[in-house]
Amino acid sequence: MSKVDVFVVGGGGREHAIVKKLSESPRCGKLYAAPGNAGIARLAKCLPVAATDLDGVVAAARELGVGCVFVAPDDPLAMGLVDRLTAAGIRAFGPTAAAAEIEGSKVFAKNLMKKYGIPTAAYEVFSDPDEAAAYVKGAGKYPVVVKADGLALGKGAIIAQDYEEAARAIDSIMREKAFGRSGDRIVVEEYLTGPELTVLAFTDGRTVVPMVSAQDHKKVYDGDRGPNTGGMGAIAPSPHFTPELAERCTREIFIPTIEAMRAEGRVFKGVIYFQMMIAKDGPKVIEYNARFGDPEAQVVLPLMKADLIDVMDAVIDGRLDEIKIEWDSRTAVCVCMASAGYPGKYEKGFPIFGLDDVSGEDIYVYHAGTAEKDGKIVTAGGRVLGVTALGATLKEARAKAYAGVAKIKFEGAHYRADIGRV
Ligand code: AMP
Ligand code: GLY
C-alpha cells in the first residue's frame, strides 16, 4: 500500500477534523498543515504559512514533496490556490477558482440556479443602492433578505423587517462597504420559512455522493437569538432530512447543480455544500459553499466510515463512481466554545484547562482558535474549540458532548446550551 503525505491548508476546527480523519487512514504518510493550531499540531507538522499566502503554500508543498494538498477554507479556494498548485504539478483537492465562484459570488450562484431551474428564493440583483432601495419600497414585502454578493465571513445576509432596516442594510453593504468589494453588488431576495439544513457532498464533477445531512446553529445565543457567527455547534444527521426529501434534493438540486457547473465549463471537484430551506412547496437552496462547513465537518467526518485519502484520490482522478462511502448510523453533536465577546471583539491568550480530561472512544475535542504558549494551550481565536460526541440517539450524543464541555474551562468561555434541541 502506497503511503501519501498530505498537506492541509487552514487552521480551524474544520481542518482539525480533516487532519484527524486523514490520520486514521492506513495510507496516511506524513501530515502537514498551514497554519494549523495547537490541536492539529498533535497530528501534523504545522507550518507558519497563512492559508491565503498562495506563493508560500505552493513553495512549501513543492519543497516538502507532498502527495496531495487539501485546501479547506473558502478564501484560498476563491483566490485560485487549487489552480496554482495544479499548474505547479502538485495534486490538490478542492475546486478551481472558477468553480469556487459558486460560493464566492451570490450573484453567480443565483443566476446559475435561475438558468438551470434549480429551486431557490426569488431575487433581483443590484449594483446601484438607490435602485435597490426603490425596488424594496416598490415591492413592499417584508421581511426581505439583503445579501452582499461576495464573501463576508458568513455575515453578509441581512433579514430586514421593514423598509428602514432594508435601506440601512443596503447603505451599510453598498455605500459604507461593510464587507469591502463584496458589497459592490447585492442580491435582494424573497424571505423563506421552514426548517434549514445542510447537505455536504463529494463530487468529481460527474458523480455526486451526498454525505449525512447536518444542521448548523449560526446564532450566538440559545433559542437562535443574537448576531450570526461562523457556527456555534452542529448535529448530524438532521432529523428533518427524510429519505423522501433526500431523493427529491438529489433529483432537483444536487445533480442539476453539478451538471450546470459542468455545462458552464466550471467542472466542480471537491466538497460542495448545499444549504437549504425546506419550504412548504419543497427544498430550496439558500446558498452554496465550495468546501466543508465549520462546524459541519466536525459532525459529518466522524460518521464517515470510508478512508478520506481514498475518497480524495477518487475525486481528483474522476473515479468517484467506483468507490462506496458508508456512514455510521449514530448521531453526532458538536458544541463550540467561544471567547468572551465573540462574534464581536475578543481577547486571546487565556489558558485552557481540562482538555485532557475529555477522552474516550466517542468524544473528541476539535481545536479551532488555539495556540501553544510556554507549553500551555491558550485561546487564540473567536471560536476556540468544539466538543464532538457520538451517541445512539441525538439525546445521548448531546448529553455526552455537554458532559465534555463542562470539563473544559477558560476565562470568558461561552457556548450555547441548546445545540441539538432542534
Ligand atoms: P447566508 O449567508 O446566505 O448563509 O445566510 C445566512 C442565514 O440567513 C441563513 O442561514 C438563513 O437562516 C438566513 N437566510 C438567508 N437567506 C434567506 C432567505 N431567503 N429566507 C430566509 N432566511 C434566509
Ligand atoms: N458553518 C457554516 C459555514 O461553514 O459556512
Side-chain angles (χ1 to χ4, degrees):
M1 187 184 295
S2 61
K3 297 243 183 200
V4 189
D5 295 350
V6 188
F7 178 175
V8 176
V9 176
R14 163 183 56 209
E15 289 76 16
H16 192 177
I18 293 167
V19 165
K20 169 136 195 304
K21 195 78 201 168
L22 291 168
S23 75
E24 290 164 4
S25 163
R27 295 181 55 207
C28 185
K30 291 194 191 101
L31 282 171
Y32 301 93
N37 61 36
I40 293 174
R42 295 189 174 182
L43 302 166
K45 182 170 167 33
C46 295
L47 312 171
V49 176
T52 48
D53 175 2
L54 306 199
D55 292 333
V57 171
V58 174
R62 189 182 282 133
E63 201 169 301
L64 296 165
V66 293
C68 186
V69 180
F70 192 123
V71 185
D74 50 357
D75 285 325
L77 289 167
M79 291 163 72
L81 180 53
V82 169
D83 311 64
R84 289 278 309 276
L85 289 161
T86 309
I90 301 161
R91 267 167 85 76
F93 179 90
T96 59
E101 208 173 342
I102 201 166
E103 168 169 11
S105 167
K106 291 211 162 41
V107 173
F108 171 77
K110 295 294 290 191
N111 290 344
L112 183 87
M113 290 187 268
K114 188 189 261 179
K115 181 169 172 189
Y116 293 90
I118 298 163
T120 189
Y123 72 101
E124 294 290 336
V125 175
F126 297 94
S127 46
D128 178 295
D130 293 327
E131 279 177 27
Y135 168 79
V136 170
K137 194 165 227 170
K141 264 172 81 181
Y142 304 99
V144 65
V145 188
V146 178
K147 294 183 177 180
D149 176 39
L151 297 177
L153 292 171
K155 294 171 192 161
I158 297 162
I159 296 169
Q161 301 297 336
D162 53 33
Y163 176 73
E164 301 307 319
E165 277 186 32
R168 219 177 308 131
I170 294 168
D171 276 351
S172 142
I173 298 174
M174 301 191 86
R175 289 193 228 267
E176 292 152 23
K177 299 281 181 207
F179 310 110
R181 304 269 335 247
S182 285
D184 287 355
R185 289 188 294 175
I186 57 166
V187 171
V188 175
E189 181 171 283
E190 166 200 13
Y191 177 76
L192 301 173
T193 52
E196 204 172 331
L197 57 87
T198 296
V199 175
L200 301 163
F202 292 107
T203 178
D204 60 5
R206 283 184 183 278
T207 303
V208 55
V209 181
M211 306 184 209
V212 285
S213 60
Q215 207 161 312
D216 188 8
H217 295 62
K218 277 201 162 106
K219 302 275 191 215
V220 69
Y221 303 126
D222 286 10
D224 281 335
R225 289 175 303 113
N228 266 331
T229 67
M232 292 298 287
I235 62 166
S238 159
H240 299 293
F241 200 61
T242 59
E244 297 74 43
L245 187 56
E247 192 276 326
R248 187 164 177 191
C249 289
T250 301
R251 185 164 30 90
E252 294 181 4
I253 295 174
F254 306 159
I255 293 173
T257 299
I258 297 310
E259 286 181 351
M261 290 299 277
R262 206 168 68 229
E264 293 291 309
R266 297 172 188 253
V267 176
F268 191 106
K269 287 184 168 204
V271 171
I272 185 161
Y273 172 120
F274 301 92
Q275 189 187 337
M276 297 174 293
M277 200 164 266
I278 315 306
K280 281 213 176 64
D281 56 341
K284 298 193 183 186
V285 177
I286 291 282
E287 73 162 353
Y288 294 110
N289 288 336
R291 51 175 174 84
F292 270 111
D294 185 339
E296 291 86 341
Q298 293 92 303
V299 285
V300 168
L301 282 172
L303 295 173
M304 187 172 88
K305 290 184 177 169
D307 181 324
L308 185 55
I309 296 188
D310 288 346
V311 178
M312 200 173 71
D313 278 346
V315 166
I316 297 173
D317 298 332
R319 299 183 281 101
L320 200 51
D321 59 335
E322 291 173 15
I323 64 166
K324 193 155 172 55
I325 304 181
E326 288 189 292
W327 300 91
D328 194 316
S329 59
R330 287 176 294 173
T331 295
V333 171
C334 176
V335 179
C336 295
M337 298 179 77
S339 295
Y342 176 79
K345 278 208 184 94
Y346 55 84
E347 283 177 53
K348 304 180 192 178
F350 298 112
I352 306 172
F353 303 99
L355 284 168
D356 294 330
D357 300 334
V358 182
S359 64
E361 280 247 316
D362 298 334
I363 188 158
Y364 195 79
V365 182
Y366 291 109
H367 290 224
T370 66
E372 200 171 320
K373 205 172 119 198
D374 308 326
K376 287 204 186 81
I377 296 186
V378 299
T379 64
R383 284 186 294 179
V384 175
L385 42 87
V387 179
T388 294
L390 307 188
T393 60
L394 179 56
K395 201 170 158 208
E396 194 187 306
R398 281 194 71 215
K400 251 193 246 178
Y402 278 107
V405 166
K407 292 183 184 159
I408 299 174
K409 308 266 182 259
F410 56 87
E411 194 171 315
H414 70 97
Y415 56 86
R416 278 181 62 162
D418 64 348
I419 303 300
R421 222 183 270 153
V422 280

